[in-house]
Amino acid sequence: MKIGFDNKKYIEKQTEEILKRIEKFDNKLYLEFGGKLFDDYHASRVLPGFDVNAKVRLLQTLKDKAEIIFTINAGDIERKKIRADFGITYDMDVLRLIDNLREWGIQTNSVVITQYSGQPSADIFRKRLEIREVKTYMHHLIKGYPFDVDTIVGDQGYGSNAYVETTKPLVVVTAPGPGSGKLATCLSQLYHEHERGIKAGYAKFETFPIWNLPLKHPVNIAYEAATADLKDVNMIDPFHFDAYGKTTVNYNRDIEVFPIVKNILERITGENLYQSPTDMGVNMAGYGIFDDDVVREAGKQEILRRYYKLWCDYKQGQVDEDIAQRVDPMLKELGLKPENRVVVKPALDKANAEEVHAMSVMLENGTIVTGKGSALMNAPSSLILNSIKVLSGIADEIHLVSPIVLKPILALKENVLGYKNSILNLEEILIALSISAATNPTAQLAMTKLGALRNCEAHSSVMLNQTDECILRRLGLNLTCEPQFPSKDLYFV
């Protein structure tokens, strides 16, 4: 994979900028962290060389100065909102993130449940946290939020929210996803700090869009594609241009809300802190790019991935058609077609020739490998076995897992467990492969090549079930699927 982003330089520059901002505000800064705290695969795909855990590595360099507040919307807990890339609910993701931070030696202060109005699921989640000795606070809906500034900045507004006691100069406020109440929590804390005579400040750390790249740069357009469900649109920051005569990029939601945020900040602090949404940001990602051609191509490929994902989401009823259509003009604007994704044609050609479900993957050296469904295993299983054979130099006719071993597993699934169409899925094949590797040196060699599939591109001729899709992503493949169901059966999981 070609690299176009210097992660070390980025973390150094980002750390320096955050420390400057802390000093500006009486050594107390509430920093709203947008995007993913861990596992930022979108950033790593569009900025080749970006560490998926760059934000956590940044926090680790600042861990003596920083503590974390997680926010989660009570409504999202009640609705069991899912984080799509992991397939877990937002409340479970908060627990996962806290555990991960502990492993990195980073302190979590507390969890704030926002927009609470008596949701039973939020009450259960709070009890669960408190039993495990995680401090938890409830913030209620504020009447007239966000427009009635007189109420918001007063006893009936932020003053009615519980104050979170903090001890570090940097307080990072983050969440499992958008709409979790990060901004409101930051501003609520700011109100309480100033009431206590502490001149704390606020800033925002959002990786995308990258403010000092052109508006129509593929990396910024890829951000629009990634947030199509939120209807985010990149825009030139008009406030920044008016104040400084400089062109910078931001997005519609931050630009639309800026006058309100600016007004609230002035009411709380008594100062005119920021002239534009760009001023509020501390994003230095643009300075990490050293090969613009590489990141441009990476941005284009991500837009193609998002095109396929949105149409698959539409087919499964997860988004409306107008959302799926939002990426179509982005492709036209950049002169892209779905077939510009190299792995698409081999998968479709294989599927059409064999009249079965098929997949393809492009290995790091550019080699295309395909796999197809059979009476024994599905296409993802075939693809992975074929790929690690190629990577190991093992002849195609050699079985890594003997059919003699696989057939009893199929019999168990069908005759004892009652599965319909009981071919083996990828998880089952990998378990069988690991068992074979204990006594088969060829299988053991092939297993060592699984790590070489990370960051490889893959495409499926039909949509995959959740189990296979999850395993492929855990192996690190960048997966896309045709927006077609694998059969006429209505039950698809």
Side-chain angles (χ1 to χ4, degrees), residues 77-153:
I77 301 173
E78 189 72 13
R79 289 188 295 271
K80 299 185 177 353
K81 189 172 181 180
I82 298 289
R83 178 170 166 172
D85 49 352
F86 282 96
I88 61 175
T89 55
Y90 272 25
D91 52 343
M92 292 301 99
D93 195 37
V94 168
L95 303 181
R96 181 186 73 90
L97 291 168
I98 292 173
D99 285 343
N100 288 350
L101 285 171
R102 285 173 175 172
E103 291 177 9
W104 286 69
I106 300 169
Q107 177 184 344
T108 298
N109 175 294
S110 57
V111 174
V112 176
I113 298 175
T114 63
Q115 297 193 30
Y116 175 73
S117 57
Q119 292 91 338
S121 296
D123 291 330
I124 293 170
F125 184 55
R126 179 182 189 174
K127 288 177 183 176
R128 182 172 186 175
L129 290 169
E130 290 179 341
I131 287 170
R132 300 302 295 272
E133 298 182 349
V134 177
K135 288 187 294 182
T136 311
Y137 301 85
M138 301 300 220
H139 282 187
H140 299 77
L141 287 163
I142 296 175
K143 185 179 179 181
Y145 188 86
F147 301 106
D148 186 358
V149 177
D150 289 335
T151 300
I152 294 166
V153 186

Coordinates of all heavy atoms in Angstrom, one line a residue, residues 77-153:
I77 N -30.0 5.1 23.8 CA -30.0 3.9 24.6 C -31.4 3.2 24.5 O -31.5 2.0 24.3 CB -29.7 4.2 26.1 CG1 -28.3 4.9 26.2 CG2 -29.8 2.9 27.0 CD1 -28.1 5.4 27.6
E78 N -32.4 4.0 24.6 CA -33.8 3.4 24.6 C -34.1 2.8 23.2 O -34.7 1.7 23.1 CB -34.8 4.5 24.8 CG -36.2 4.1 25.0 CD -36.4 3.4 26.4 OE1 -35.6 3.4 27.3 OE2 -37.5 2.7 26.5
R79 N -33.6 3.4 22.1 CA -33.8 2.9 20.8 C -32.9 1.7 20.4 O -33.0 1.2 19.3 CB -33.7 4.0 19.7 CG -34.8 5.0 19.8 CD -34.7 6.0 18.6 NE -33.5 6.8 18.6 CZ -33.4 8.0 19.3 NH1 -34.5 8.4 19.9 NH2 -32.3 8.6 19.3
K80 N -31.9 1.5 21.3 CA -30.9 0.5 21.0 C -30.1 0.8 19.7 O -30.0 -0.1 18.8 CB -31.5 -0.9 20.9 CG -32.1 -1.4 22.2 CD -32.6 -2.8 22.2 CE -33.2 -3.4 23.5 NZ -33.1 -2.6 24.7
K81 N -29.7 2.0 19.6 CA -29.0 2.5 18.3 C -27.7 1.7 18.2 O -27.0 1.5 19.1 CB -28.7 4.0 18.4 CG -28.2 4.6 17.1 CD -28.1 6.1 17.2 CE -27.6 6.7 15.9 NZ -27.5 8.1 16.0
I82 N -27.5 1.3 16.9 CA -26.3 0.4 16.6 C -25.2 1.2 16.0 O -25.4 2.0 15.2 CB -26.8 -0.7 15.7 CG1 -27.8 -1.6 16.3 CG2 -25.6 -1.6 15.2 CD1 -27.4 -2.5 17.4
R83 N -23.9 0.9 16.5 CA -22.8 1.3 15.8 C -22.5 0.3 14.7 O -22.1 -0.8 14.9 CB -21.6 1.4 16.8 CG -20.3 1.9 16.0 CD -19.2 2.2 17.0 NE -17.9 2.3 16.2 CZ -16.8 2.7 16.7 NH1 -16.7 3.1 17.9 NH2 -15.7 2.7 15.9
A84 N -22.7 0.8 13.4 CA -22.7 -0.1 12.3 C -21.5 -0.9 12.1 O -21.5 -2.1 11.7 CB -23.1 0.7 11.0
D85 N -20.3 -0.3 12.3 CA -19.0 -1.0 12.0 C -18.7 -2.1 12.9 O -18.0 -3.0 12.6 CB -17.9 0.0 11.9 CG -17.8 0.9 13.1 OD1 -18.7 0.9 13.9 OD2 -16.8 1.7 13.2
F86 N -19.3 -2.1 14.1 CA -19.1 -3.2 15.1 C -20.4 -4.0 15.4 O -20.3 -5.0 16.0 CB -18.6 -2.6 16.4 CG -17.1 -2.3 16.4 CD1 -16.7 -1.0 16.1 CD2 -16.1 -3.2 16.5 CE1 -15.3 -0.6 16.0 CE2 -14.8 -2.9 16.4 CZ -14.4 -1.6 16.2
G87 N -21.5 -3.5 15.0 CA -22.7 -4.2 15.2 C -23.2 -4.3 16.6 O -23.8 -5.2 17.0
I88 N -22.7 -3.3 17.4 CA -23.1 -3.3 18.9 C -23.8 -2.0 19.2 O -23.7 -1.0 18.5 CB -21.9 -3.5 19.8 CG1 -20.9 -2.3 19.6 CG2 -21.3 -4.8 19.6 CD1 -19.7 -2.4 20.6
T89 N -24.7 -2.0 20.2 CA -25.4 -0.8 20.6 C -24.5 0.2 21.2 O -23.4 -0.1 21.7 CB -26.5 -1.2 21.6 OG1 -25.9 -1.8 22.7 CG2 -27.6 -2.1 21.0
Y90 N -24.9 1.5 21.1 CA -24.1 2.6 21.6 C -23.7 2.4 23.1 O -22.6 2.8 23.5 CB -24.9 3.9 21.5 CG -24.7 4.6 20.1 CD1 -24.3 3.9 19.0 CD2 -24.9 6.0 20.0 CE1 -24.2 4.5 17.8 CE2 -24.7 6.6 18.8 CZ -24.3 5.8 17.7 OH -24.2 6.5 16.4
D91 N -24.7 1.9 23.9 CA -24.3 1.8 25.4 C -23.3 0.7 25.6 O -22.3 0.9 26.4 CB -25.6 1.5 26.2 CG -26.4 0.3 25.7 OD1 -26.2 -0.1 24.5 OD2 -27.3 -0.2 26.4
M92 N -23.3 -0.4 24.8 CA -22.3 -1.4 24.9 C -21.0 -0.8 24.4 O -19.9 -1.2 24.9 CB -22.7 -2.6 24.1 CG -23.9 -3.4 24.7 SD -23.5 -4.0 26.4 CE -24.4 -2.7 27.4
D93 N -21.0 0.0 23.4 CA -19.8 0.6 22.8 C -19.1 1.5 23.9 O -17.9 1.6 23.9 CB -20.1 1.4 21.6 CG -18.8 1.7 20.8 OD1 -17.9 0.8 20.7 OD2 -18.7 2.7 20.2
V94 N -19.9 2.2 24.7 CA -19.3 3.0 25.7 C -18.5 2.1 26.7 O -17.4 2.5 27.1 CB -20.4 3.8 26.5 CG1 -19.8 4.4 27.8 CG2 -21.0 4.9 25.6
L95 N -19.1 1.0 27.0 CA -18.3 0.1 27.9 C -17.1 -0.4 27.3 O -16.0 -0.5 27.9 CB -19.2 -1.1 28.3 CG -20.6 -0.8 29.0 CD1 -21.3 -2.1 29.3 CD2 -20.4 0.0 30.2
R96 N -17.2 -0.8 26.0 CA -16.0 -1.2 25.2 C -14.9 -0.2 25.2 O -13.7 -0.4 25.4 CB -16.4 -1.6 23.8 CG -15.3 -2.1 22.9 CD -15.8 -2.3 21.5 NE -15.9 -1.0 20.8 CZ -15.0 -0.4 20.1 NH1 -13.8 -1.0 20.0 NH2 -15.2 0.7 19.5
L97 N -15.3 1.1 24.9 CA -14.3 2.2 24.9 C -13.6 2.4 26.2 O -12.4 2.7 26.2 CB -15.0 3.5 24.3 CG -15.5 3.4 22.9 CD1 -16.4 4.6 22.6 CD2 -14.3 3.4 21.9
I98 N -14.4 2.4 27.3 CA -13.8 2.6 28.6 C -12.8 1.5 28.9 O -11.7 1.8 29.4 CB -14.9 2.6 29.7 CG1 -15.8 3.9 29.5 CG2 -14.3 2.6 31.1 CD1 -17.0 3.9 30.5
D99 N -13.1 0.3 28.6 CA -12.2 -0.9 28.8 C -10.9 -0.6 27.9 O -9.8 -0.8 28.4 CB -12.8 -2.2 28.3 CG -13.9 -2.7 29.4 OD1 -13.8 -2.2 30.5 OD2 -14.7 -3.6 29.0
N100 N -11.1 -0.2 26.7 CA -9.9 0.0 25.8 C -9.0 1.1 26.3 O -7.8 1.0 26.3 CB -10.4 0.3 24.4 CG -11.0 -0.8 23.7 OD1 -10.8 -2.0 24.1 ND2 -11.6 -0.6 22.5
L101 N -9.6 2.2 26.8 CA -8.9 3.3 27.4 C -8.1 2.8 28.6 O -6.9 3.3 28.8 CB -9.8 4.5 27.7 CG -10.3 5.3 26.6 CD1 -11.3 6.3 27.0 CD2 -9.1 6.1 25.9
R102 N -8.7 2.0 29.4 CA -8.0 1.5 30.6 C -6.7 0.7 30.2 O -5.7 0.8 30.8 CB -8.9 0.6 31.4 CG -9.9 1.4 32.2 CD -10.9 0.4 32.9 NE -11.9 1.1 33.7 CZ -12.9 0.6 34.3 NH1 -13.2 -0.7 34.1 NH2 -13.8 1.3 35.0
E103 N -6.8 0.0 29.1 CA -5.7 -0.8 28.6 C -4.6 0.1 28.2 O -3.4 -0.2 28.2 CB -6.1 -1.7 27.5 CG -7.0 -2.9 27.9 CD -7.5 -3.7 26.7 OE1 -7.0 -3.5 25.6 OE2 -8.4 -4.6 26.9
W104 N -4.9 1.3 27.7 CA -3.9 2.3 27.2 C -3.5 3.2 28.4 O -2.6 4.1 28.2 CB -4.5 3.1 26.1 CG -4.6 2.4 24.8 CD1 -5.5 1.4 24.5 CD2 -3.9 2.7 23.6 NE1 -5.3 1.0 23.2 CE2 -4.4 1.8 22.6 CE3 -2.9 3.6 23.3 CZ2 -3.8 1.8 21.3 CZ3 -2.4 3.6 22.0 CH2 -2.9 2.7 21.0
G105 N -4.0 3.0 29.6 CA -3.6 3.8 30.7 C -4.1 5.2 30.8 O -3.5 6.1 31.3
I106 N -5.3 5.4 30.1 CA -5.9 6.7 30.0 C -7.1 6.7 30.9 O -8.0 5.8 30.9 CB -6.3 7.0 28.6 CG1 -5.1 7.0 27.7 CG2 -7.0 8.4 28.5 CD1 -5.3 7.1 26.2
Q107 N -7.2 7.8 31.7 CA -8.3 7.9 32.8 C -9.6 8.3 32.2 O -9.7 9.3 31.4 CB -7.8 8.9 33.8 CG -8.9 9.2 34.9 CD -8.4 10.2 35.9 OE1 -7.2 10.6 35.9 NE2 -9.3 10.8 36.6
T108 N -10.7 7.6 32.5 CA -12.0 7.9 32.2 C -12.7 8.6 33.5 O -12.7 7.9 34.5 CB -12.9 6.7 31.8 OG1 -12.3 6.2 30.6 CG2 -14.3 7.2 31.5
N109 N -13.1 9.8 33.3 CA -13.7 10.5 34.5 C -15.1 9.9 34.8 O -15.4 9.5 35.9 CB -13.8 12.0 34.2 CG -14.5 12.8 35.3 OD1 -15.7 12.6 35.5 ND2 -13.8 13.6 36.0
S110 N -16.0 9.9 33.7 CA -17.4 9.6 34.0 C -18.1 9.5 32.7 O -17.6 9.7 31.6 CB -18.0 10.7 34.8 OG -17.9 12.0 34.1
V111 N -19.4 9.1 32.8 CA -20.3 9.0 31.7 C -21.5 10.0 32.0 O -22.1 10.0 33.0 CB -20.9 7.6 31.5 CG1 -22.0 7.6 30.4 CG2 -19.7 6.6 31.1
V112 N -21.8 10.8 31.0 CA -23.0 11.7 31.1 C -24.1 11.2 30.1 O -23.9 11.1 28.9 CB -22.6 13.2 30.7 CG1 -23.9 14.0 30.7 CG2 -21.6 13.7 31.7
I113 N -25.2 10.9 30.7 CA -26.4 10.5 29.9 C -27.2 11.7 29.6 O -27.7 12.4 30.5 CB -27.2 9.4 30.6 CG1 -26.4 8.2 30.9 CG2 -28.5 9.1 29.8 CD1 -27.1 7.1 31.7
T114 N -27.2 12.1 28.3 CA -27.8 13.4 27.9 C -29.3 13.2 27.5 O -29.7 12.1 27.1 CB -27.0 14.0 26.8 OG1 -27.1 13.2 25.6 CG2 -25.6 14.2 27.2
Q115 N -30.0 14.3 27.5 CA -31.4 14.4 27.0 C -32.3 13.3 27.8 O -33.1 12.7 27.2 CB -31.5 14.2 25.5 CG -30.9 15.4 24.8 CD -31.2 15.5 23.3 OE1 -32.3 15.1 22.9 NE2 -30.3 16.0 22.5
Y116 N -32.0 13.2 29.0 CA -32.7 12.2 29.8 C -34.1 12.7 30.2 O -34.3 13.8 30.6 CB -31.9 11.9 31.1 CG -32.7 11.0 32.1 CD1 -32.8 9.6 31.8 CD2 -33.2 11.4 33.2 CE1 -33.5 8.7 32.6 CE2 -33.9 10.6 34.1 CZ -34.0 9.3 33.8 OH -34.7 8.4 34.7
S117 N -35.1 11.8 29.9 CA -36.5 12.2 30.3 C -37.2 10.9 30.8 O -38.3 10.7 30.5 CB -37.2 12.8 29.1 OG -37.2 11.9 28.0
G118 N -36.5 10.2 31.7 CA -37.1 9.0 32.3 C -37.1 7.7 31.5 O -37.8 6.8 31.8
Q119 N -36.2 7.6 30.5 CA -36.2 6.4 29.7 C -35.7 5.2 30.6 O -34.6 5.3 31.2 CB -35.2 6.6 28.5 CG -35.6 7.6 27.5 CD -35.1 9.0 27.7 OE1 -34.8 9.3 28.9 NE2 -35.1 9.8 26.7
P120 N -36.5 4.1 30.6 CA -36.2 3.0 31.5 C -34.8 2.4 31.1 O -34.1 2.0 32.0 CB -37.3 2.0 31.2 CG -38.4 2.8 30.8 CD -37.8 4.0 30.0
S121 N -34.5 2.3 29.9 CA -33.2 1.7 29.5 C -32.0 2.5 29.9 O -31.0 2.0 30.3 CB -33.1 1.5 27.9 OG -34.1 0.6 27.5
A122 N -32.2 3.8 30.0 CA -31.1 4.7 30.5 C -30.9 4.5 32.0 O -29.8 4.5 32.5 CB -31.5 6.2 30.2
D123 N -32.0 4.3 32.7 CA -31.9 4.0 34.1 C -31.2 2.7 34.4 O -30.3 2.6 35.3 CB -33.3 3.9 34.8 CG -34.1 5.2 34.8 OD1 -33.4 6.3 34.9 OD2 -35.3 5.2 34.7
I124 N -31.4 1.7 33.6 CA -30.7 0.4 33.7 C -29.3 0.6 33.4 O -28.4 0.0 34.1 CB -31.4 -0.7 32.8 CG1 -32.8 -1.0 33.3 CG2 -30.5 -1.9 32.8 CD1 -33.6 -1.8 32.3
F125 N -29.0 1.3 32.4 CA -27.6 1.6 32.0 C -26.8 2.3 33.1 O -25.7 2.0 33.4 CB -27.5 2.3 30.7 CG -26.1 2.5 30.2 CD1 -25.3 1.5 29.9 CD2 -25.6 3.8 29.9 CE1 -24.0 1.6 29.4 CE2 -24.4 4.0 29.4 CZ -23.5 2.9 29.2
R126 N -27.5 3.3 33.7 CA -26.9 4.1 34.8 C -26.5 3.1 35.9 O -25.4 3.2 36.5 CB -27.8 5.2 35.2 CG -27.2 6.0 36.4 CD -28.1 7.1 36.9 NE -27.5 8.0 37.8 CZ -28.0 9.1 38.3 NH1 -29.2 9.4 38.0 NH2 -27.3 9.8 39.1
K127 N -27.5 2.3 36.3 CA -27.2 1.3 37.4 C -26.1 0.4 37.1 O -25.3 0.1 38.0 CB -28.5 0.5 37.7 CG -29.6 1.3 38.4 CD -30.9 0.5 38.5 CE -32.0 1.3 39.1 NZ -33.3 0.5 39.2
R128 N -26.1 0.0 35.9 CA -25.0 -0.9 35.5 C -23.6 -0.3 35.6 O -22.6 -0.9 36.1 CB -25.2 -1.4 34.0 CG -24.2 -2.4 33.5 CD -24.6 -2.9 32.2 NE -23.7 -3.9 31.7 CZ -23.8 -4.7 30.6 NH1 -24.9 -4.5 29.8 NH2 -22.9 -5.6 30.3
L129 N -23.5 1.0 35.2 CA -22.3 1.7 35.3 C -21.9 1.9 36.8 O -20.7 1.8 37.2 CB -22.4 3.1 34.6 CG -22.4 3.0 33.1 CD1 -22.8 4.4 32.6 CD2 -21.1 2.6 32.5
E130 N -22.9 2.4 37.6 CA -22.6 2.7 39.0 C -22.2 1.4 39.8 O -21.4 1.5 40.7 CB -23.8 3.4 39.6 CG -24.0 4.8 39.0 CD -25.2 5.5 39.6 OE1 -26.1 4.9 40.2 OE2 -25.2 6.8 39.5
I131 N -22.8 0.3 39.5 CA -22.4 -1.0 40.1 C -21.0 -1.3 39.9 O -20.2 -1.8 40.7 CB -23.3 -2.1 39.7 CG1 -24.7 -1.9 40.3 CG2 -22.7 -3.5 40.1 CD1 -25.8 -2.9 39.8
R132 N -20.5 -0.9 38.6 CA -19.1 -1.1 38.3 C -18.2 0.0 38.6 O -17.1 0.2 38.1 CB -19.0 -1.5 36.7 CG -19.8 -2.7 36.3 CD -19.4 -4.0 37.0 NE -18.0 -4.3 36.7 CZ -17.7 -5.1 35.6 NH1 -18.6 -5.5 34.8 NH2 -16.4 -5.4 35.4
E133 N -18.7 1.0 39.4 CA -18.0 2.1 40.0 C -17.5 3.1 38.9 O -16.4 3.7 39.0 CB -16.8 1.6 40.8 CG -17.2 0.8 42.0 CD -16.0 0.3 42.9 OE1 -14.8 0.5 42.4 OE2 -16.2 -0.2 44.0
V134 N -18.4 3.3 37.9 CA -18.2 4.3 36.9 C -19.1 5.5 37.2 O -20.3 5.3 37.3 CB -18.5 3.8 35.5 CG1 -18.3 5.0 34.5 CG2 -17.5 2.7 35.1
K135 N -18.6 6.7 37.5 CA -19.4 7.8 37.9 C -20.3 8.2 36.7 O -19.9 8.2 35.5 CB -18.6 9.0 38.2 CG -17.9 8.9 39.6 CD -17.2 10.2 40.0 CE -16.0 10.5 39.0 NZ -15.3 11.7 39.4
T136 N -21.6 8.4 37.0 CA -22.6 8.7 35.9 C -23.4 9.9 36.3 O -23.8 10.0 37.5 CB -23.5 7.4 35.7 OG1 -22.7 6.3 35.6 CG2 -24.3 7.6 34.5
Y137 N -23.7 10.7 35.3 CA -24.5 11.9 35.5 C -25.6 12.0 34.5 O -25.5 11.5 33.4 CB -23.7 13.2 35.4 CG -22.5 13.2 36.3 CD1 -21.3 12.6 36.0 CD2 -22.6 13.9 37.5 CE1 -20.2 12.7 36.9 CE2 -21.5 14.0 38.4 CZ -20.3 13.4 38.1 OH -19.2 13.4 38.9
M138 N -26.8 12.6 34.9 CA -27.9 12.7 34.0 C -28.1 14.2 33.7 O -28.1 15.1 34.6 CB -29.2 12.2 34.7 CG -29.1 10.7 35.1 SD -28.9 9.6 33.7 CE -29.9 8.3 34.1
H139 N -28.1 14.5 32.4 CA -28.5 15.8 31.9 C -29.8 15.8 31.2 O -30.1 15.0 30.3 CB -27.4 16.4 30.9 CG -26.2 16.8 31.6 ND1 -25.1 17.4 30.9 CD2 -25.8 16.8 32.9 CE1 -24.2 17.8 31.8 NE2 -24.5 17.3 33.0
H140 N -30.7 16.6 31.6 CA -32.1 16.6 31.1 C -32.2 17.6 29.9 O -31.3 18.4 29.6 CB -33.1 17.1 32.2 CG -33.1 16.2 33.4 ND1 -32.1 16.2 34.4 CD2 -33.9 15.2 33.8 CE1 -32.3 15.3 35.3 NE2 -33.5 14.7 35.0
L141 N -33.3 17.4 29.2 CA -33.6 18.3 28.1 C -33.8 19.7 28.7 O -34.4 19.9 29.8 CB -34.9 17.9 27.4 CG -34.8 16.7 26.5 CD1 -36.2 16.1 26.2 CD2 -34.1 17.0 25.2
I142 N -33.3 20.7 28.0 CA -33.4 22.1 28.4 C -34.5 22.8 27.5 O -34.4 22.8 26.3 CB -32.1 22.9 28.3 CG1 -31.1 22.3 29.3 CG2 -32.3 24.4 28.6 CD1 -29.7 22.9 29.2
K143 N -35.4 23.4 28.1 CA -36.5 24.0 27.4 C -35.9 25.2 26.5 O -35.1 26.0 27.0 CB -37.5 24.6 28.4 CG -38.8 25.2 27.7 CD -39.8 25.8 28.7 CE -41.0 26.4 28.0 NZ -41.9 26.9 29.0
G144 N -36.3 25.1 25.2 CA -35.9 26.2 24.3 C -34.5 26.0 23.7 O -34.0 26.8 23.0
Y145 N -33.8 24.8 24.0 CA -32.5 24.6 23.5 C -32.6 24.3 22.0 O -33.4 23.6 21.5 CB -31.9 23.4 24.2 CG -30.4 23.1 23.9 CD1 -29.4 23.8 24.6 CD2 -30.0 22.3 22.9 CE1 -28.1 23.6 24.3 CE2 -28.7 22.1 22.6 CZ -27.7 22.7 23.3 OH -26.4 22.5 23.0
P146 N -31.7 24.9 21.2 CA -30.5 25.7 21.6 C -30.8 27.2 21.4 O -29.8 28.0 21.4 CB -29.5 25.2 20.6 CG -30.3 25.0 19.3 CD -31.6 24.5 19.8
F147 N -32.0 27.7 21.1 CA -32.2 29.1 20.7 C -32.5 30.0 21.8 O -32.1 31.2 21.7 CB -33.4 29.1 19.7 CG -33.2 28.3 18.5 CD1 -33.8 27.1 18.3 CD2 -32.3 28.6 17.5 CE1 -33.6 26.3 17.2 CE2 -32.0 27.9 16.4 CZ -32.7 26.7 16.2
D148 N -33.1 29.6 22.9 CA -33.4 30.4 24.0 C -32.2 30.6 24.9 O -32.1 30.0 26.0 CB -34.6 29.9 24.8 CG -35.1 30.8 25.9 OD1 -34.5 31.9 26.1 OD2 -36.1 30.5 26.6
V149 N -31.3 31.5 24.5 CA -30.0 31.6 25.2 C -30.2 32.1 26.6 O -29.5 31.7 27.5 CB -29.1 32.5 24.4 CG1 -27.7 32.7 25.2 CG2 -28.8 31.9 23.0
D150 N -31.2 33.0 26.8 CA -31.4 33.5 28.2 C -31.7 32.4 29.2 O -31.3 32.4 30.3 CB -32.6 34.5 28.2 CG -32.3 35.8 27.5 OD1 -31.1 36.1 27.4 OD2 -33.2 36.4 27.0
T151 N -32.5 31.4 28.7 CA -32.8 30.2 29.6 C -31.6 29.3 29.7 O -31.3 28.8 30.8 CB -34.0 29.5 29.0 OG1 -35.2 30.4 29.0 CG2 -34.4 28.3 29.9
I152 N -31.0 29.0 28.5 CA -29.9 28.0 28.5 C -28.8 28.4 29.4 O -28.3 27.6 30.2 CB -29.4 27.9 27.0 CG1 -30.5 27.3 26.2 CG2 -28.1 27.0 27.0 CD1 -30.2 27.4 24.7
V153 N -28.3 29.7 29.3 CA -27.2 30.2 30.2 C -27.8 30.7 31.5 O -27.8 32.0 31.7 CB -26.4 31.2 29.4 CG1 -25.1 31.5 30.3 CG2 -25.9 30.7 28.1

